[in-house]
């Protein structure tokens, strides 16, 4: 009895302190679940009429884009199919700048400019990641609250276990009658619903914590047998002098080369070398809407010789079990790992999880301020 009272106190105190954060993170996660599907209904501008001529080279694309945002940094350029616009992504951390320019791949005409820091889903993401607070503060609050929520889930499951086996059925289903009071209904909504959602909520919380904390990612990677560097590293070039026709930069041959090698790939996100020593990095997406099975490839910027990375981000076929666990983390977190069914589950779990702080507070209020007879 004493240990249950102690666990109940911990569960109650932690829940009251983090309830608002868990509610906001869950509701915004619920809204984020179908972002890709919703955005696809109004992104027709990303399609163009295919032409039987060569598309713009990466160098030409960068030159055009930098004329529009000359004071910002090109993060990468995404090349897709013949009927897709080329997307040039600009990103700077301070001051925060995150916009995309969509170009006609044949003429270089600017089709549209998207500001990723404005609009409904940008608002939702800021709430989910940092509660609309300044980044440095908000991310720490969310990260700490999610770790705390993991303890709340575990303590809640312990409290859910009935003292007597005969009471187990009451914890597994709603047994409401016309005479059932709202306090009992609220208790059932918190305990019964909490039991069925706890496993999925624990997965969502743990994968979210891994996104927030690199140390946790490292612990998971090592504990699952990982033997590579659990970070994203762009290797240096192997050669110092160009060996390809100097009239054309080597990087301008790369996309055509990769498209021939991987015709089934969904997209090629090319990242320009930041220094003379750095290699060219290309993320080859093999599935629409998924990240875990992408190929991260690195090429000498002078010779296009492929360079193997010592980190976990390389070709997916070379990934070991521990590497895949880390790679899959985001796709598991948002439910994309299970396709549309996975997203539906993520939506429902997020919505139900958002209800737990509400029913929990009502439960606490009803007990603390119950009428004395």
């Amino acid at each position: 009895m004493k240990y249950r009272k102690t666990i109940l106190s911990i569960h109650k105190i932690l829940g009251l302190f983090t309830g608002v954060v868990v509610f906001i993170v869950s509701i915004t996660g619920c809204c984020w679940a179908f972002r890709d599907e919703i955005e696809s209904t109004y992104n027709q501008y990303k399609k163009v009429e295919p032409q039987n001529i060569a598309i713009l080279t990466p160098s030409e694309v960068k030159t055009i884009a930098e004329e529009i945002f000359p004071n910002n940094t090109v993060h990468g350029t995404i090349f897709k199919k013949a009927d897709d616009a080329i997307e040039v992504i600009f990103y700077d951390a301070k001051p925060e700048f995150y916009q995309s320019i969509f170009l006609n791949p044949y003429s270089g005409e600017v089709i549209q400019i998207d500001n990723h820091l404005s609009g409904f889903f940008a608002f939702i993401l800021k709430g989910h990641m940092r509660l609309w607070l300044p980044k440095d503060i908000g991310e720490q609050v969310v990260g700490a609250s999610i770790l705390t929520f993991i303890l709340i889930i575990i303590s809640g499951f312990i409290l859910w276990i009935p003292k007597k086996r005969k009471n187990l059925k009451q914890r597994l289903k709603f047994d409401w009658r016309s005479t059932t009071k709202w306090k009992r209904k609220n208790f059932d909504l918190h305990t019964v619903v909490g039991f069925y959602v706890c496993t999925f909520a624990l997965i969502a919380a743990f994968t979210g914590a891994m996104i927030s904390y690199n140390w946790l990612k490292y612990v998971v990677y090592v504990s699952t047998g990982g033997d590579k560097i659990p970070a994203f590293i762009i290797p240096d070039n192997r050669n110092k002098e160009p060996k390809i026709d100097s009239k054309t930069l080597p990087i301008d041959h790369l996309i055509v080369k990769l498209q021939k090698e991987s015709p089934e790939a969904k997209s090629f996100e090319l990242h320009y070398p930041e220094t003379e020593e750095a290699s060219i990095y290309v993320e080859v997406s093999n599935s629409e809407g998924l990240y875990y099975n992408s190929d991260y490839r690195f090429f000498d910027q002078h010779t296009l010789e492929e360079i193997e990375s010592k980190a976990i981000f390389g070709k997916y076929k070379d990934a070991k079990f521990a590497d895949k666990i880390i790679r899959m983390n985001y796709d598991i977190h948002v439910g994309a790992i299970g396709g549309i069914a996975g997203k539906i589950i993520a939506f429902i779990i997020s919505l139900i999880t958002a209800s737990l702080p509400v029913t929990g507070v009502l439960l606490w209020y009803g007990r603390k301020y119950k009428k004395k007879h």
Side-chain angles (χ1 to χ4, degrees), residues 118-369:
S118 66
F120 175 74
F121 286 110
F123 175 79
I124 290 299
L125 185 60
K126 288 175 184 176
H128 188 75
M129 296 292 291
R130 58 189 196 228
L131 308 174
W132 303 289
L133 296 171
K135 186 175 181 179
D136 293 339
I137 298 173
E139 287 183 353
Q140 292 300 317
V141 173
V142 169
S145 297
I146 296 307
L147 284 178
T148 304
F149 184 55
I150 292 174
L151 297 178
I152 293 172
I153 295 171
I154 295 171
S155 61
F157 177 74
I158 295 172
L159 293 170
W160 173 88
I161 300 172
K163 300 173 188 176
K164 297 180 181 179
R165 183 175 294 182
K166 66 178 183 179
N167 296 328
L168 182 60
K169 289 184 179 180
Q170 295 179 350
R171 300 293 175 89
L172 292 173
K173 64 178 183 178
F174 299 113
D175 188 19
W176 295 346
R177 297 178 176 84
S178 58
T179 55
T180 304
K181 295 182 178 181
W182 78 267
K183 286 185 178 181
R184 178 67 199 189
K185 291 180 179 179
N186 183 68
F187 176 81
D188 287 347
L189 284 171
H190 192 72
T191 56
V192 177
V193 170
F195 168 72
Y196 286 111
V197 80
C198 69
T199 300
F200 296 101
L202 187 61
I203 293 171
F206 192 80
T207 53
M210 284 178 63
I211 293 172
S212 296
Y213 295 108
N214 287 327
W215 63 264
L216 181 58
K217 189 183 298 182
Y218 177 78
V219 169
V220 171
Y221 182 68
V222 173
S223 63
T224 51
D227 56 2
K228 297 180 182 178
I229 302 172
F232 186 83
I233 299 174
I234 299 177
D236 289 339
N237 295 318
R238 287 182 178 170
N239 301 279
K240 295 183 179 180
E241 298 297 332
K243 295 182 180 179
I244 294 180
D245 181 6
S246 59
K247 293 181 181 178
T248 306
L249 291 173
I251 195 173
D252 291 334
H253 295 281
L254 187 53
I255 293 300
V256 175
K257 174 179 179 291
L258 291 175
Q259 287 174 334
K260 289 179 180 178
E261 288 181 6
S262 307
E264 300 301 318
K266 302 302 180 183
S267 67
F268 304 87
E269 184 173 333
L270 181 146
H271 297 257
Y272 303 90
E274 295 183 1
T275 65
E276 286 294 326
E277 293 75 29
S279 59
I280 304 166
Y281 148 50
V282 182
E283 181 179 341
V284 183
S285 176
N286 295 311
S287 299
E288 198 71 49
L290 290 173
Y291 294 93
Y292 80 91
N293 63 347
S294 295
D295 291 323
Y296 300 87
R297 303 179 65 179
F298 307 91
F299 301 89
D300 187 292
Q301 63 172 290
H302 300 305
T303 65
L304 296 189
E305 177 186 359
E306 187 157 7
I307 304 169
E308 295 298 324
S309 173
K310 295 180 180 179
I312 62 174
F313 294 99
K315 292 181 180 178
Y316 182 69
K317 68 179 182 64
D318 298 328
K320 296 180 181 179
F321 175 75
D323 305 335
K324 291 178 181 179
I325 291 294
I326 301 301
R327 280 167 163 259
M328 289 180 177
N329 188 71
Y330 175 78
D331 291 325
I332 293 172
H333 185 68
V334 299
I337 195 77
I340 192 66
K343 291 188 176 185
I344 292 172
I345 291 172
F347 175 87
I348 294 172
I349 296 304
S350 295
L351 189 61
I352 294 175
T353 301
S355 74
L356 295 179
V358 177
T359 54
V361 168
L362 291 174
L363 197 60
W364 165 80
Y365 183 86
R367 286 176 175 176
K368 187 173 180 63
Y369 297 100

